[in-house]
Amino acid sequence: MSNPQNINSYRRKFMQGIGVTAAAATLAPGMLLREVQASNKEGYVTDKVRWGMLIDTNKLVEGGQEVVNACKKEHGWGAEAHSNERQKASWVRKVTVTEKTTGYVNQLPVMCQHCETAPCVDVCPTGASMKRADGIVLVNKHICIGCRYCMMACPYKARSFVHESLFDQHADSPRGKGTVESCTMCVHRVDEGKEPACVEASNGAIVFGDLNDPNSNISQKLKAEDGKQIRADLGLNTGVRYQGI
Amino acid sequence: MFGKARFFLTAMILLSGIILQGCDTSHPPESRLKTALAKSEQCVEPTALMRTNHMEFIKHMQDDTVYGGIRGTKHELKACINCHVPAASEDGKPLNYLKDNETGELNEEHFCATCHKYAVVKLNCFECHSDNPQNEGVAPNTAAHKIPALTSAQAKGGSHE
């Protein structure tokens, strides 16, 4: 039989354990928040810019069908032969909302909102879901294990999982089976100083620019006319803003 | 004691000799490497260095591109493909890394597959990345729609200095 001395030492250890667990629980939220810090590495993007988009739903044709088409053309998603409708990739989709009291129907394109505090980045177990220093939220598919945690965490249903082997991908938009993908804000074009494909196709309905620069087109327009975040109540400070919703 | 060790060693050498006997000692067919050999002088690094270290160059580049937005450098996979892989094989069909998408059989006419098949390398670059330069320019970036007053240097974050 165990003697009282032992019981006391067990009890002490147990209490210490509780203390450590409580300390970890207090620290954990801060520790788990993964963010790519502004790097000093030569030529790397910095946090001096934060890319954003302002979408005027009133100016969009067919609720943004041309935006969806331009995205498909640029990145080559949506033609997965062996996937069913629910499995097929969808980087941007048209959402129809109806005001119940008046019956007013509005449509808006919804894609990755490039949140400042992105839930997908928080939950990723491998660090594949990441935010670039300039605010663009991406999946680093080299280390994505396809667990789809980020898809669960995203309040905008912006991410898709590739269910099948893909062939003949576009050179600037690598996509592959077993990884999660979403709108990249056409990062390959932005790096070259160009605008995203959807912005180019929208005939002025979408304004792209630097949210950190008070003199940029997008900042000026936001200051003069304002723009809404979808689910602003979540406090994610999205990089994509809307007008006319 | 030593006799036992010597016997074991001899047996191992003999056994490995027998095992290696089964290996094909032939090199990748030179004819398949026509494009590669033609361009080997112009390659970004000396041929010997590339043969042993190309995967390291590509691996380092992947992080710089994903995290830092650095594109268009000489060690980029896209640059390798654009230079070494012709858009179509001699019969006019697109030249892909895999000969058969279903079985996963490698296409020895593809520059990368020539050696990878010979060396039995299984890699997953082309599960996601384009294996053919023909996909270059599919995207509508011919319009070159530049952001007003935004140079590439500013795009990297230099606009508020």
Side-chain angles (χ1 to χ4, degrees):
Chain A
M1 293 304 277
S2 51
N3 62 46
Q5 200 127 30
N6 266 354
I7 290 173
N8 272 344
S9 87
Y10 292 150
R11 191 176 291 155
R12 201 172 303 123
K13 268 189 191 154
F14 179 70
M15 291 312 282
Q16 274 171 348
I18 287 182
V20 169
T21 317
T26 332
L27 273 172
M31 285 164 68
L32 289 175
L33 187 72
R34 268 200 214 94
E35 199 166 309
V36 179
Q37 295 297 321
S39 170
N40 296 325
K41 259 188 135 176
E42 180 77 31
Y44 267 41
V45 288
T46 69
D47 56 3
K48 281 180 186 141
V49 289
R50 184 182 177 210
W51 297 117
M53 292 202 278
L54 178 59
I55 303 170
D56 189 341
T57 56
N58 292 325
K59 284 190 194 161
L60 287 171
V61 182
E62 289 176 56
Q65 189 57 50
E66 79 274 41
V67 166
V68 178
N69 294 345
C71 188
K72 277 187 184 173
K73 196 179 168 195
E74 178 74 23
H75 298 282
W77 56 265
E80 295 79 23
H82 303 288
S83 300
N84 66 33
E85 284 309 311
R86 289 185 63 201
Q87 293 170 329
K88 272 185 182 167
S90 163
W91 290 25
V92 50
R93 66 190 201 279
K94 280 199 303 181
V95 171
T96 308
V97 279
T98 310
E99 168 65 54
K100 274 184 188 159
T101 51
T102 58
Y104 175 71
V105 178
N106 201 358
Q107 283 190 311
L108 61 153
V110 175
M111 71 293 266
C112 171
Q113 304 286 304
H114 300 276
C115 312
E116 190 189 12
T117 48
C120 56
V121 178
D122 272 355
V123 299
C124 181
T126 66
S129 188
M130 51 159 267
K131 185 160 76 79
R132 240 169 56 141
D134 58 1
I136 299 179
V137 176
L138 295 172
V139 181
N140 181 358
K141 289 167 192 167
H142 300 118
I143 51 175
C144 175
I145 56 169
C147 73
R148 291 165 264 185
Y149 245 125
C150 55
M151 290 173 69
M152 294 288 162
C154 179
Y156 303 103
K157 207 173 154 186
R159 288 201 160 166
S160 320
F161 179 76
V162 181
H163 288 261
E164 60 182 270
S165 298
L166 300 176
F167 306 99
D168 295 320
Q169 291 91 331
H170 294 188
D172 283 316
S173 195
R175 314 171 50 228
K177 182 181 177 181
T179 60
V180 173
E181 54 183 22
S182 65
C183 159
T184 62
M185 222 187 240
C186 285
V187 74
H188 58 284
R189 295 169 66 100
V190 173
D191 284 339
E192 289 172 1
K194 291 189 220 158
E195 292 183 326
C198 59
V199 178
E200 214 174 282
S202 70
N203 284 322
I206 307 180
V207 179
F208 172 79
D210 179 7
L211 295 169
N212 280 353
D213 177 7
N215 298 317
S216 67
N217 269 352
I218 186 168
S219 296
Q220 293 282 341
K221 204 170 177 206
L222 277 168
K223 195 181 175 189
E225 303 164 18
D226 200 17
K228 279 183 189 156
Q229 303 180 48
I230 320 178
R231 288 300 306 271
D233 55 314
L234 297 171
L236 299 170
N237 188 10
T238 58
V240 179
R241 306 288 172 109
Y242 292 85
Q243 289 181 331
I245 56 166
Chain B
M1 191 74 175
F2 283 110
K4 214 173 192 181
R6 197 179 300 147
F7 171 75
F8 185 66
L9 207 67
T10 320
M12 282 304 284
I13 290 166
L14 277 175
L15 199 67
S16 59
I18 291 163
I19 290 167
L20 284 172
Q21 201 70 57
C23 292
D24 187 3
T25 49
S26 66
H27 289 283
E30 292 278 311
S31 59
R32 301 264 196 243
L33 288 165
K34 247 191 293 179
T35 338
L37 289 171
K39 287 179 176 167
S40 63
E41 293 300 313
Q42 308 159 25
C43 197
V44 293
E45 303 290 349
T47 310
L49 185 64
M50 268 325 231
R51 277 197 180 151
T52 50
N53 287 333
H54 62 283
M55 64 296 268
E56 295 296 328
F57 293 136
I58 296 169
K59 201 162 83 186
H60 284 292
M61 202 52 230
Q62 85 183 20
D63 283 348
D64 286 345
T65 305
V66 175
Y67 296 113
I70 296 170
R71 282 164 211 276
T73 59
K74 62 178 186 176
H75 289 153
E76 206 175 47
L77 177 65
K78 202 168 111 181
C80 303
I81 298 298
N82 285 352
C83 193
H84 285 295
V85 184
S89 57
E90 274 162 17
D91 58 359
K93 282 181 187 155
L95 192 53
N96 294 110
Y97 185 71
L98 295 183
K99 197 178 209 170
D100 188 338
N101 289 343
E102 297 300 321
T103 61
E105 190 195 341
L106 302 190
N107 180 3
E108 271 189 90
E109 274 185 71
H110 190 279
F111 173 60
C112 303
T114 312
C115 290
H116 290 162
K117 188 169 184 182
Y118 167 71
V120 202
V121 175
K122 190 174 187 307
L123 87 178
N124 49 17
C125 300
F126 302 118
E127 283 176 18
C128 291
H129 285 279
S130 173
D131 55 3
N132 192 292
Q134 66 165 347
N135 297 327
E136 179 80 356
V138 168
N141 43 16
T142 39
H145 193 83
K146 293 265 177 189
I147 304 163
L150 183 91
T151 62
S152 174
Q154 281 173 324
K156 295 271 188 282
S159 56
H160 309 297
E161 281 165 351

